[in-house]
Amino acid sequence: MTETRLLREQGVTAPAGFRAAGIAAGIKASGNPDLALVFNEGPDYAGAGVFTSNQVKAAPVRWSQQVLKGGRLRAVILNSGGANACTGPGGFQDTHTTAEAVAAALSQWGTETGAVEVAVCSTGLIGDRLPMDKVLAGVTEIVHEMAGGLVGGDEAARAIMTTDTVPKQVALHHKDNWTLGGMAKGAGMLAPSLATMLVVLTTDAKADAATLDQALRAATKLTFDRLDIDGSCSTNDTVLLLSSGASEITPSPEELEAAVLAACDDLCAQLQADAEGVTKRVTITVAGAGCDDDALVAARCIARDSLVKTALFGSDPNWGRVLAAVGMVPFTIDPDAITVSFNGSAVFSDGAPMPGAREVDLSGADINVVVELNQGSGQAMVRTTDLSHAYVEENSAYSS
Amino acid sequence: MTETRLLREQGVTAPAGFRAAGIAAGIKASGNPDLALVFNEGPDYAGAGVFTSNQVKAAPVRWSQQVLKGGRLRAVILNSGGANACTGPGGFQDTHTTAEAVAAALSQWGTETGAVEVAVCSTGLIGDRLPMDKVLAGVTEIVHEMAGGLVGGDEAARAIMTTDTVPKQVALHHKDNWTLGGMAKGAGMLAPSLATMLVVLTTDAKADAATLDQALRAATKLTFDRLDIDGSCSTNDTVLLLSSGASEITPSPEELEAAVLAACDDLCAQLQADAEGVTKRVTITVAGAGCDDDALVAARCIARDSLVKTALFGSDPNWGRVLAAVGMVPFTIDPDAITVSFNGSAVFSDGAPMPGAREVDLSGADINVVVELNQGSGQAMVRTTDLSHAYVEENSAYSS
């Protein structure tokens, strides 16, 4: 291989040393695939994870946080069809039981595995206990299926979908002959501190848990943390990175970090493009803030504003709503120093509208909003979407 | 009069010593009424005001803030059909010119008035200059109309409507023979630090500017500041309180404060009931917080959550979204100690759902969500609405 390539196929099984599977275990009433397994064949078993910052954390998040303390990860079991959040001690026990069942099945198959090496991820409706009879039967079946020799990345990516309309996968083939792969799900309840999403990244590069952790935190901070579809942060957000070391190549920490960032960025764009009810892919860039953190706060203020988002749904260059939103930032700004542009056309400058500001064409699917505060060099970009009828429709009839 | 009565008629002209008018000046393309005047005939001219906390303040807000520094207010001129926000120095000059025209017309009519005694309020689209030829011709006409002897409170309340579907008025007749009246507009861009709204309150009670100011701040803090329709705070929010002293009664500061609070609370309920796209009137009460401020922050977190609001639009008791929203508060909570109820039915307690939680009937127009944090005695209530198709429709096609 002479150059690094980024593809959208194979996903978690693109790197050497990983197998995966996805099956329909009957957790979803629809009968669609709902159980996925990612398995690290080694020789290394390093792992890292980042999790939701929501104080209301689902049972699988609390379990997987404990698992990751060891820095060692053999397998990840993921289910859609139920978040197992707000389900009390019984819900936590269900997660524990699931991890034990995965470890037992893998051990039976000849790979001695402990429950503390198995991360668990769940997504779906908050508040219902999982149908454990189906989950446990599914665990037996999925390990059997994976043992059959399938690579299964595609199937795993499909099995974690909820309101997603397409599976999201990425594979970055590094020119130095190692690979980083990944899959993601997430369509709504997408907000900072990770979207409502589950992401599993795998690599055959050799890297210890600390190096993986550093690369993962740096990448998620710039990608998933800056994807804000509806300002709602999930109880179940999980991003995991597993290394098999099977390539026997040890990239520099910088190379690894760049690869993880590129993969996360690509998955992020896929999540944005498939967000609930999306008709516009919107990027909000705030520049000229006192620092990057201020810029990020301002970009989020705009990205979360319902009036900005409904205007963009209507392809309406209603820049006044952008100004009104940015006027609520918790640091001092000078309104007269701000410039605003839509898709490269300046619409507001020197405290007043620019000629033609109401005629900017926003009819396309991609809208870039740039706000220059002119008070420093801080900059940040947040990805969001419009607020459409389809978003309301999808979210007004989810649980019932 | 033997008891205090609260009615929804007459509005700003219910108290003695006030006249008002509302006309169609041609500012709105629709030809609907768009210019209102409230005039204080005295003998006192005390006034107080509270304004948007948005850093991007419309020209009329900046003008009226200056006017109120004197604590003296003779008249308020209000227009719909244009916010005169983000319109540069020219926009501010337009406001100044309007106040001068009102003062000149009133002086000509025999009431010596200075421009610095005239507050200006504007509402409508951000970013366009007002058609000053129409505004100034309208000022001449409206003063003439008011001089004709009409009381005109109803007409004024109609002329300030934008996306409002009904005028909002209140009149509190105190048993001690003084009266407090008011009118309000506001349907979207309604969020803390005052909704996108214009409110004028009048009273014939005798009270100095400082007393009015204190009563007004105390009342708005508990009412308009806790109305949050879409989390978007306007550039034009203004609440004014004028006293004519015509009743020659001087209520105690507590009596006045109670009356202002009752009037603001009633106008607030009217704004909530007529909010853009509303199909549900929702109150979010958070109790058991460490302090009232924490409770308010938590209530706002829930009231602004798009997933909570779309679920309520669907009459869906999706309490998990309430938990996920409250999990993002910026202070420490204990998720297992929280209880949540919908319309009096407990749905979540002791870290797990209550039996029947998914079957709570939310099909009615009023929904009460109560979250008990069980960590103190702080409490707060926020009024909001659901997030409906009609909200999206109304706001995706406003400017164009």
Side-chain angles (χ1 to χ4, degrees), chain A residues 126 316 331 358 389 393 399, chain B residues 55 316 358 389 393 399:
Chain A
I126 296 171
D316 177 1
F331 55 89
R358 298 257 181 254
H389 284 302
E393 188 62 27
S399 87
Chain B
Q55 293 185 73
D316 177 2
R358 299 257 182 254
H389 283 302
E393 188 62 27
S399 87

Side-chain angles (χ1 to χ4, degrees), chain A residues 26-379:
Chain A
I27 307 167
K28 283 180 181 166
S30 64
N32 287 333
D34 49 20
L35 193 66
L37 180 67
V38 179
F39 177 62
N40 181 355
E41 295 190 297
D44 299 344
Y45 307 104
V50 292
F51 301 90
T52 182
S53 64
N54 199 311
Q55 292 186 73
V56 178
K57 292 185 206 308
V61 166
R62 286 179 283 132
W63 170 263
S64 298
Q65 283 181 316
Q66 286 183 23
V67 167
L68 262 299
K69 281 185 182 160
R72 185 179 167 90
L73 203 47
R74 292 294 293 262
V76 186
I77 184 88
L78 311 94
N79 76 275
S80 53
N84 196 12
C86 306
T87 45
F92 189 82
Q93 185 55 52
D94 290 344
T95 294
H96 189 172
T97 302
T98 303
E100 284 182 331
V102 171
L106 288 171
S107 299
Q108 199 168 18
W109 177 56
T111 311
E112 200 59 45
T113 305
V116 295
E117 298 171 300
V118 180
V120 181
C121 301
S122 299
T123 178
L125 184 63
I126 296 171
D128 288 338
R129 294 282 293 275
L130 292 171
M132 284 305 290
D133 53 338
K134 290 172 180 163
V135 171
L136 295 177
V139 164
T140 304
E141 183 187 338
I142 202 166
V143 170
H144 182 80
E145 173 122 352
M146 194 193 66
L150 291 172
V151 286
D154 294 351
E155 289 73 16
R158 282 190 183 279
I160 57 173
M161 290 163 59
T162 53
T163 53
D164 307 70
T165 65
V166 291
K168 286 103 183 166
Q169 296 189 92
V170 70
L172 185 141
H173 299 278
H174 196 274
K175 61 180 173 53
D176 293 343
N177 276 317
W178 57 275
T179 296
L180 182 91
M183 66 178 184
K185 70 77 47 182
M189 210 182 255
L190 284 173
S193 325
L194 305 187
T196 299
M197 52 175 213
L198 305 179
V199 178
V200 180
L201 299 162
T202 55
T203 183
D204 50 20
K206 289 187 85 69
D208 61 18
T211 307
L212 294 178
D213 186 72
Q214 189 183 328
L216 190 60
R217 285 183 195 283
T220 54
K221 185 165 182 263
L222 292 175
T223 54
F224 301 119
D225 276 357
R226 297 185 180 192
L227 175 67
D228 194 329
I229 300 306
D230 50 17
S232 302
C233 179
S234 161
T235 53
N236 288 60
D237 296 332
T238 302
V239 184
L240 301 173
L241 171 56
L242 295 77
S243 149
S244 71
S247 72
E248 298 185 356
I249 310 282
T250 306
S252 71
E254 293 71 29
E255 284 175 318
L256 182 70
E257 199 169 308
V260 176
L261 178 61
C264 289
D265 190 61
D266 190 76
L267 288 173
C268 222
Q270 294 185 54
L271 290 167
Q272 177 193 32
D274 192 33
E276 287 175 349
V278 60
T279 80
K280 306 280 190 183
R281 295 179 295 260
V282 180
T283 59
I284 310 283
T285 304
V286 172
C291 60
D292 287 355
D293 284 350
D294 278 0
L296 184 57
V297 165
R300 278 202 210 294
C301 270
I302 301 165
R304 288 182 171 185
D305 191 274
S306 293
L307 289 170
V308 170
K309 292 160 79 88
T310 46
L312 298 181
F313 169 56
S315 301
D316 177 1
N318 194 332
W319 54 267
R321 294 181 179 177
V322 175
L323 265 292
V326 83
M328 294 306 292
V329 295
F331 55 89
T332 303
I333 56 170
D334 175 4
D336 291 335
I338 295 173
T339 63
V340 178
S341 72
F342 285 148
N343 286 351
S345 298
V347 289
F348 179 81
S349 185
D350 291 326
M354 302 287 285
R358 298 257 181 254
E359 280 74 51
V360 175
D361 181 11
L362 300 184
S363 60
D366 289 284
I367 298 178
N368 296 308
V369 179
V370 178
V371 175
E372 167 64 57
L373 299 177
N374 280 309
Q375 59 190 46
S377 58
Q379 182 159 341

Side-chain angles (χ1 to χ4, degrees), chain B residues 98-118:
Chain B
T98 303
E100 283 183 330
V102 171
L106 288 171
S107 299
Q108 199 166 18
W109 177 56
T111 312
E112 200 58 46
T113 304
V116 295
E117 297 171 301
V118 180

Side-chain angles (χ1 to χ4, degrees), chain B residues 167-237:
Chain B
K168 287 103 183 166
Q169 296 189 92
V170 70
L172 186 141
H173 299 278
H174 197 274
K175 62 180 171 55
D176 292 344
N177 276 317
W178 56 275
T179 296
L180 181 91
M183 67 179 184
K185 70 76 49 181
M189 211 182 254
L190 283 173
S193 325
L194 306 187
T196 297
M197 50 175 215
L198 305 180
V199 178
V200 180
L201 299 162
T202 54
T203 183
D204 51 20
K206 290 187 84 67
D208 62 18
T211 307
L212 294 179
D213 185 71
Q214 188 183 329
L216 189 60
R217 285 184 194 282
T220 54
K221 185 164 183 264
L222 292 175
T223 55
F224 301 119
D225 275 357
R226 297 185 180 192
L227 175 67
D228 193 329
I229 299 307
D230 51 16
S232 303
C233 179
S234 161
T235 51
N236 288 60
D237 297 332

